[in-house]
Amino acid sequence: MSSERIDDVSGVTADGAAWLASAGTYPRSTLALWKEHADAPVVLPCGTIFDVVSAPAVFARRMVDRLWDEGPGSGPVATFRGRMLLFAAPGTAQRLPSLLRWEEFGRTGAIPPLLCHGNGDAVTVPPLLATTPPTSPDSRWLVAPDTRHPWLPGPEILLWAAVRAARAAVRISIFPPADQDAKVYDVSRRR
């Protein structure tokens, strides 16, 4: 994914706001709140309209890059307090942890802890409006919801992206790591 694509942030559209608000118990109240305070973050429940996978920012960026460069793309993506929130299909929070345990990378630590928020959980979503500069760099939309029914990746797609991101981070070498304090001499030109 090119950096222009993820850094070109636009605000959440009216349809995207309606989709987000539909996750709550009182969607009209949420929309009314946003109408008056579009620059305020809101807490929304997970599990019915969307699940959220929260990952460390650098690793999540690699996942999002894989989703856009090699896969089907991502659903909405936001940042919050140093982590990225990847919006996923309902049920992902329940299934993804077991898929990660099954996958070899889940056992080796190559995939950092992914926090899966599903039924019974809630997440704080960033403000609807993108401001320049952002009012809170810790909370903003990277891929803002723009339709009433956005495409959301499921657990298998997020597993694929996590495995690809972990593989991209692993550097394989046939040489042992160099001793940083060792003195190295070039003996190839000795007579």
Short mmCIF file of all heavy atoms in Angstrom, two decimals, residues 154-190:
data_model
loop_
_atom_site.label_atom_id
_atom_site.label_comp_id
_atom_site.label_asym_id
_atom_site.label_seq_id
_atom_site.Cartn_x
_atom_site.Cartn_y
_atom_site.Cartn_z
N GLY A 154 -12.93 -11.09 7.17
CA GLY A 154 -13.24 -12.10 8.17
C GLY A 154 -11.96 -12.62 8.82
O GLY A 154 -10.85 -12.15 8.53
N PRO A 155 -12.08 -13.62 9.70
CA PRO A 155 -10.92 -14.11 10.43
C PRO A 155 -9.85 -14.74 9.54
O PRO A 155 -8.65 -14.58 9.79
CB PRO A 155 -11.50 -15.13 11.40
CG PRO A 155 -12.84 -15.49 10.86
CD PRO A 155 -13.31 -14.30 10.08
N GLU A 156 -10.25 -15.44 8.49
CA GLU A 156 -9.27 -16.08 7.61
C GLU A 156 -8.43 -15.05 6.87
O GLU A 156 -7.22 -15.21 6.72
CB GLU A 156 -9.97 -17.02 6.61
CG GLU A 156 -10.64 -18.22 7.25
CD GLU A 156 -12.04 -17.91 7.79
OE1 GLU A 156 -12.56 -16.78 7.57
OE2 GLU A 156 -12.61 -18.80 8.45
N ILE A 157 -9.06 -13.98 6.43
CA ILE A 157 -8.33 -12.94 5.70
C ILE A 157 -7.38 -12.21 6.65
O ILE A 157 -6.23 -11.92 6.28
CB ILE A 157 -9.31 -11.97 5.01
CG1 ILE A 157 -10.02 -12.72 3.88
CG2 ILE A 157 -8.60 -10.73 4.49
CD1 ILE A 157 -11.14 -11.97 3.24
N LEU A 158 -7.81 -11.93 7.86
CA LEU A 158 -6.93 -11.26 8.82
C LEU A 158 -5.80 -12.19 9.25
O LEU A 158 -4.68 -11.73 9.48
CB LEU A 158 -7.72 -10.74 10.01
CG LEU A 158 -8.62 -9.54 9.67
CD1 LEU A 158 -9.45 -9.14 10.88
CD2 LEU A 158 -7.80 -8.37 9.18
N LEU A 159 -6.07 -13.49 9.36
CA LEU A 159 -4.99 -14.44 9.64
C LEU A 159 -3.96 -14.40 8.52
O LEU A 159 -2.76 -14.33 8.77
CB LEU A 159 -5.54 -15.86 9.80
CG LEU A 159 -4.48 -16.95 9.90
CD1 LEU A 159 -3.74 -16.85 11.22
CD2 LEU A 159 -5.11 -18.33 9.75
N TRP A 160 -4.43 -14.46 7.28
CA TRP A 160 -3.54 -14.39 6.12
C TRP A 160 -2.69 -13.12 6.16
O TRP A 160 -1.47 -13.18 5.97
CB TRP A 160 -4.39 -14.44 4.84
CG TRP A 160 -3.64 -14.18 3.59
CD1 TRP A 160 -2.96 -15.09 2.83
CD2 TRP A 160 -3.47 -12.92 2.94
NE1 TRP A 160 -2.39 -14.46 1.76
CE2 TRP A 160 -2.68 -13.13 1.80
CE3 TRP A 160 -3.91 -11.63 3.22
CZ2 TRP A 160 -2.33 -12.10 0.93
CZ3 TRP A 160 -3.56 -10.61 2.36
CH2 TRP A 160 -2.78 -10.84 1.23
N ALA A 161 -3.31 -11.99 6.45
CA ALA A 161 -2.57 -10.72 6.50
C ALA A 161 -1.55 -10.72 7.65
O ALA A 161 -0.43 -10.23 7.49
CB ALA A 161 -3.54 -9.55 6.65
N ALA A 162 -1.92 -11.28 8.80
CA ALA A 162 -1.00 -11.33 9.94
C ALA A 162 0.19 -12.23 9.63
O ALA A 162 1.34 -11.88 9.94
CB ALA A 162 -1.73 -11.81 11.19
N VAL A 163 -0.05 -13.36 9.02
CA VAL A 163 1.05 -14.28 8.67
C VAL A 163 1.97 -13.62 7.64
O VAL A 163 3.19 -13.67 7.77
CB VAL A 163 0.50 -15.62 8.16
CG1 VAL A 163 1.60 -16.47 7.52
CG2 VAL A 163 -0.17 -16.38 9.30
N ARG A 164 1.39 -12.98 6.63
CA ARG A 164 2.21 -12.28 5.63
C ARG A 164 3.02 -11.15 6.26
O ARG A 164 4.17 -10.95 5.93
CB ARG A 164 1.33 -11.71 4.52
CG ARG A 164 0.67 -12.72 3.64
CD ARG A 164 1.69 -13.27 2.66
NE ARG A 164 1.06 -14.22 1.79
CZ ARG A 164 1.10 -14.18 0.48
NH1 ARG A 164 1.76 -13.22 -0.12
NH2 ARG A 164 0.51 -15.10 -0.24
N ALA A 165 2.40 -10.41 7.17
CA ALA A 165 3.12 -9.31 7.83
C ALA A 165 4.25 -9.86 8.70
O ALA A 165 5.33 -9.28 8.75
CB ALA A 165 2.14 -8.49 8.68
N ALA A 166 4.01 -10.98 9.38
CA ALA A 166 5.05 -11.59 10.21
C ALA A 166 6.20 -12.10 9.35
O ALA A 166 7.37 -11.93 9.69
CB ALA A 166 4.47 -12.72 11.05
N ARG A 167 5.87 -12.71 8.23
CA ARG A 167 6.93 -13.21 7.33
C ARG A 167 7.75 -12.06 6.76
O ARG A 167 8.95 -12.20 6.58
CB ARG A 167 6.31 -14.02 6.20
CG ARG A 167 5.85 -15.37 6.65
CD ARG A 167 5.29 -16.16 5.51
NE ARG A 167 4.81 -17.45 5.99
CZ ARG A 167 3.92 -18.18 5.38
NH1 ARG A 167 3.39 -17.76 4.24
NH2 ARG A 167 3.54 -19.33 5.89
N ALA A 168 7.11 -10.95 6.48
CA ALA A 168 7.83 -9.80 5.93
C ALA A 168 8.78 -9.22 6.97
O ALA A 168 9.81 -8.64 6.62
CB ALA A 168 6.85 -8.72 5.47
N ALA A 169 8.45 -9.37 8.24
CA ALA A 169 9.28 -8.81 9.31
C ALA A 169 10.46 -9.72 9.67
O ALA A 169 11.42 -9.27 10.25
CB ALA A 169 8.43 -8.57 10.55
N VAL A 170 10.36 -11.00 9.30
CA VAL A 170 11.41 -11.95 9.64
C VAL A 170 12.50 -11.88 8.58
O VAL A 170 12.24 -12.02 7.40
CB VAL A 170 10.84 -13.39 9.72
CG1 VAL A 170 11.96 -14.40 9.94
CG2 VAL A 170 9.81 -13.49 10.81
N ARG A 171 13.71 -11.65 9.03
CA ARG A 171 14.85 -11.63 8.13
C ARG A 171 15.58 -12.95 8.27
O ARG A 171 16.00 -13.33 9.35
CB ARG A 171 15.77 -10.47 8.45
CG ARG A 171 15.05 -9.14 8.41
CD ARG A 171 16.05 -8.04 8.10
NE ARG A 171 15.50 -6.72 8.28
CZ ARG A 171 14.63 -6.15 7.46
NH1 ARG A 171 14.17 -6.79 6.44
NH2 ARG A 171 14.21 -4.93 7.68
N ILE A 172 15.74 -13.63 7.16
CA ILE A 172 16.39 -14.93 7.18
C ILE A 172 17.80 -14.76 6.62
O ILE A 172 18.00 -14.18 5.56
CB ILE A 172 15.60 -15.96 6.35
CG1 ILE A 172 14.21 -16.12 6.94
CG2 ILE A 172 16.35 -17.28 6.27
CD1 ILE A 172 13.28 -16.97 6.12
N SER A 173 18.77 -15.30 7.35
CA SER A 173 20.16 -15.23 6.93
C SER A 173 20.83 -16.56 7.22
O SER A 173 20.56 -17.19 8.24
CB SER A 173 20.89 -14.10 7.67
OG SER A 173 22.25 -14.12 7.34
N ILE A 174 21.74 -16.97 6.33
CA ILE A 174 22.49 -18.19 6.58
C ILE A 174 23.73 -17.91 7.41
O ILE A 174 24.42 -18.81 7.83
CB ILE A 174 22.88 -18.88 5.25
CG1 ILE A 174 23.76 -17.96 4.40
CG2 ILE A 174 21.65 -19.34 4.52
CD1 ILE A 174 24.35 -18.64 3.18
N PHE A 175 24.02 -16.64 7.64
CA PHE A 175 25.18 -16.25 8.42
C PHE A 175 24.76 -15.94 9.85
O PHE A 175 23.72 -15.35 10.07
CB PHE A 175 25.85 -15.02 7.81
CG PHE A 175 26.30 -15.25 6.40
CD1 PHE A 175 25.60 -14.69 5.34
CD2 PHE A 175 27.40 -16.04 6.13
CE1 PHE A 175 26.01 -14.91 4.04
CE2 PHE A 175 27.81 -16.27 4.83
CZ PHE A 175 27.11 -15.70 3.78
N PRO A 176 25.61 -16.31 10.83
CA PRO A 176 25.27 -15.97 12.21
C PRO A 176 25.33 -14.46 12.40
O PRO A 176 26.01 -13.76 11.64
CB PRO A 176 26.36 -16.68 13.03
CG PRO A 176 27.48 -16.90 12.07
CD PRO A 176 26.88 -17.01 10.71
N PRO A 177 24.64 -13.93 13.40
CA PRO A 177 24.69 -12.49 13.63
C PRO A 177 26.11 -12.05 13.96
O PRO A 177 26.86 -12.75 14.64
CB PRO A 177 23.75 -12.26 14.81
CG PRO A 177 23.47 -13.61 15.38
CD PRO A 177 23.80 -14.63 14.35
N ALA A 178 26.48 -10.90 13.44
CA ALA A 178 27.83 -10.38 13.65
C ALA A 178 28.00 -9.91 15.09
O ALA A 178 27.07 -9.36 15.68
CB ALA A 178 28.10 -9.24 12.69
N ASP A 179 29.19 -10.12 15.62
CA ASP A 179 29.51 -9.61 16.93
C ASP A 179 29.85 -8.14 16.75
O ASP A 179 30.82 -7.80 16.07
CB ASP A 179 30.69 -10.37 17.52
CG ASP A 179 31.03 -9.93 18.92
OD1 ASP A 179 30.32 -9.04 19.46
OD2 ASP A 179 31.99 -10.46 19.49
N GLN A 180 29.07 -7.25 17.32
CA GLN A 180 29.22 -5.83 17.10
C GLN A 180 30.54 -5.28 17.63
O GLN A 180 31.04 -4.28 17.14
CB GLN A 180 28.06 -5.06 17.72
CG GLN A 180 26.72 -5.41 17.13
CD GLN A 180 26.63 -5.09 15.65
OE1 GLN A 180 27.19 -4.10 15.18
NE2 GLN A 180 25.95 -5.92 14.89
N ASP A 181 31.13 -5.93 18.64
CA ASP A 181 32.38 -5.44 19.21
C ASP A 181 33.61 -6.09 18.60
O ASP A 181 34.73 -5.77 18.97
CB ASP A 181 32.38 -5.67 20.72
CG ASP A 181 31.30 -4.86 21.41
OD1 ASP A 181 30.99 -3.76 20.91
OD2 ASP A 181 30.77 -5.33 22.42
N ALA A 182 33.43 -7.03 17.71
CA ALA A 182 34.57 -7.73 17.11
C ALA A 182 35.28 -6.84 16.10
O ALA A 182 34.67 -6.06 15.39
CB ALA A 182 34.10 -9.02 16.44
N LYS A 183 36.60 -7.01 16.05
CA LYS A 183 37.38 -6.30 15.04
C LYS A 183 37.44 -7.20 13.82
O LYS A 183 37.81 -8.36 13.90
CB LYS A 183 38.77 -5.99 15.57
CG LYS A 183 38.74 -5.04 16.74
CD LYS A 183 40.12 -4.63 17.13
CE LYS A 183 40.05 -3.87 18.43
NZ LYS A 183 40.29 -2.53 18.40
N VAL A 184 37.08 -6.64 12.69
CA VAL A 184 37.04 -7.41 11.45
C VAL A 184 38.15 -6.93 10.55
O VAL A 184 38.31 -5.73 10.32
CB VAL A 184 35.66 -7.25 10.76
CG1 VAL A 184 35.62 -8.02 9.47
CG2 VAL A 184 34.55 -7.67 11.71
N TYR A 185 38.94 -7.87 10.03
CA TYR A 185 40.03 -7.56 9.13
C TYR A 185 39.76 -8.21 7.80
O TYR A 185 39.30 -9.35 7.72
CB TYR A 185 41.36 -8.07 9.69
CG TYR A 185 41.70 -7.49 11.03
CD1 TYR A 185 41.43 -8.20 12.19
CD2 TYR A 185 42.26 -6.23 11.12
CE1 TYR A 185 41.72 -7.67 13.43
CE2 TYR A 185 42.56 -5.68 12.37
CZ TYR A 185 42.29 -6.41 13.52
OH TYR A 185 42.58 -5.87 14.72
N ASP A 186 40.05 -7.48 6.73
CA ASP A 186 39.90 -8.02 5.39
C ASP A 186 41.17 -8.77 5.05
O ASP A 186 42.22 -8.18 4.84
CB ASP A 186 39.64 -6.89 4.39
CG ASP A 186 39.42 -7.40 2.98
OD1 ASP A 186 39.34 -8.62 2.80
OD2 ASP A 186 39.33 -6.56 2.06
N VAL A 187 41.08 -10.10 5.01
CA VAL A 187 42.25 -10.92 4.72
C VAL A 187 42.23 -11.43 3.29
O VAL A 187 43.07 -12.20 2.89
CB VAL A 187 42.34 -12.12 5.70
CG1 VAL A 187 42.60 -11.61 7.10
CG2 VAL A 187 41.10 -12.96 5.64
N SER A 188 41.28 -10.99 2.49
CA SER A 188 41.19 -11.49 1.12
C SER A 188 42.31 -10.96 0.24
O SER A 188 42.62 -11.56 -0.79
CB SER A 188 39.83 -11.11 0.52
OG SER A 188 39.70 -9.71 0.49
N ARG A 189 42.98 -9.89 0.60
CA ARG A 189 44.04 -9.32 -0.24
C ARG A 189 45.44 -9.55 0.35
O ARG A 189 46.37 -8.89 -0.05
CB ARG A 189 43.79 -7.84 -0.42
CG ARG A 189 42.50 -7.58 -1.17
CD ARG A 189 42.35 -6.15 -1.47
NE ARG A 189 41.07 -5.97 -2.12
CZ ARG A 189 40.68 -4.88 -2.67
NH1 ARG A 189 41.47 -3.82 -2.64
NH2 ARG A 189 39.51 -4.79 -3.24
N ARG A 190 45.56 -10.44 1.26
CA ARG A 190 46.88 -10.74 1.84
C ARG A 190 47.74 -11.43 0.82
O ARG A 190 47.30 -12.24 0.03
CB ARG A 190 46.74 -11.63 3.05
CG ARG A 190 46.34 -10.86 4.25
CD ARG A 190 46.72 -11.64 5.44
NE ARG A 190 46.71 -10.73 6.56
CZ ARG A 190 46.69 -11.07 7.80
NH1 ARG A 190 46.71 -12.34 8.10
NH2 ARG A 190 46.70 -10.20 8.73
#
